Amino acid sequence: MGRATHDGAPEDDTGTDCPRPGPPTPPAPPPASAYRDYFVMLLDRIPTPIAVCRADGQVLIANPAMAAQWGAVPGQLRGRNLLDLFRPRDPAQIARIMDALRLGRRSRYPVEVRWRTGPDEPERQGQLTIDPVGDPSAAQPSLLALLREDTGSTAAPPAVPRAATSPVEARILALAAGGATTAAIGSALGLTVDGVNYHLTRLARRWRVQGRTALVAKAYVLGVLAADRWPPAPAAPDDGARSPGP
């Protein structure tokens, strides 16, 4: 047993005071890369077309919904400029936004835009909402761009033709028809699992089917996939010139 010191405090058998435990060490914060991965994962799940750009409009990150406007995957938009993708109705509005950013103003800026998803596609119109994000003290903030397509004044789209399927969607369907898992499809096309599921869900809603088996079957009926190819592959542009119904 320990002895008592002259002031009554217990002393251990070694003659030294018992050490008292200090406060618990707080856990280390996660690395910055973890936050970026989480942000990208959230973008992949959002159905709204979104891009993060530099102040000059150069795309840093785009989600699958934004890339799908051009039948591309997100990585293919990286490095492109928003002004190469969208045409503002009032070009002077872009100059006014740039002046506001240089003066340190951090407001939300709506921009009416038009764009075409391909040379033979009809012109679309809508609104890009530009929102400066990041450090308020930064001279050149990053820009969060959200796209909202104006469909109120346009006629209802016709029954789904084969041409309405983007190259990325056709490649996803071909891999799915061959039995590839969602993870394998994503790895082959440079998409996340959420990105692949986004495209599959979008197709299922458009074609009014449920389940991957029905989705693949519909792709063959519509001529999206070549009926005489194995492993499954998208139909050639000149295959099945007809425009089948949904």
Side-chain angles (χ1 to χ4, degrees), residues 88-109:
R89 287 187 179 181
D90 181 9
Q93 188 176 15
I94 302 299
R96 291 194 292 268
I97 293 176
M98 297 303 295
D99 288 341
L101 292 176
R102 279 192 292 267
L103 294 174
R105 297 172 185 167
R106 299 293 186 263
S107 299
R108 182 169 293 174
Y109 305 98

Side-chain angles (χ1 to χ4, degrees), residues 90-176:
D90 181 9
Q93 188 176 15
I94 302 299
R96 291 194 292 268
I97 293 176
M98 297 303 295
D99 288 341
L101 292 176
R102 279 192 292 267
L103 294 174
R105 297 172 185 167
R106 299 293 186 263
S107 299
R108 182 169 293 174
Y109 305 98
V111 181
E112 299 296 325
V113 293
R114 298 175 180 176
W115 71 98
R116 293 182 185 273
T117 58
D120 300 324
E121 295 295 326
E123 184 178 70
R124 300 184 181 185
Q125 57 185 5
Q127 183 182 88
L128 270 178
T129 301
I130 308 297
D131 204 348
V133 295
D135 187 353
S137 63
Q140 296 292 324
S142 297
L143 304 177
L144 184 68
L146 288 81
L147 176 65
R148 179 178 60 83
E149 184 176 359
D150 182 9
T151 58
S153 59
T154 60
V160 179
R162 184 170 73 87
T165 306
S166 72
V168 172
E169 291 170 337
R171 291 169 66 191
I172 289 175
L173 288 168
L175 290 169

Side-chain angles (χ1 to χ4, degrees), residues 1-5 9-18:
M1 294 181 60
R3 306 186 303 274
T5 61
E11 183 178 306
D12 64 10
D13 292 333
T14 62
T16 58
D17 293 337
C18 296

Side-chain angles (χ1 to χ4, degrees), residues 155-246:
V160 179
R162 184 170 73 87
T165 306
S166 72
V168 172
E169 291 170 337
R171 291 169 66 191
I172 289 175
L173 288 168
L175 290 169
T181 64
T182 304
I185 294 173
S187 178
L189 301 182
L191 293 170
T192 64
V193 169
D194 289 326
V196 174
N197 285 331
Y198 165 81
H199 284 288
L200 291 173
T201 301
R202 190 166 178 257
L203 282 167
R205 289 175 179 171
R206 189 194 308 167
W207 291 349
R208 301 182 182 92
V209 297
Q210 293 183 352
R212 186 171 297 194
T213 301
L215 193 60
V216 168
K218 188 88 175 201
Y220 277 110
V221 170
L222 295 178
V224 175
L225 299 179
D228 57 350
R229 298 279 299 278
W230 188 266
D238 56 348
D239 288 349
R242 61 187 177 85
S243 296

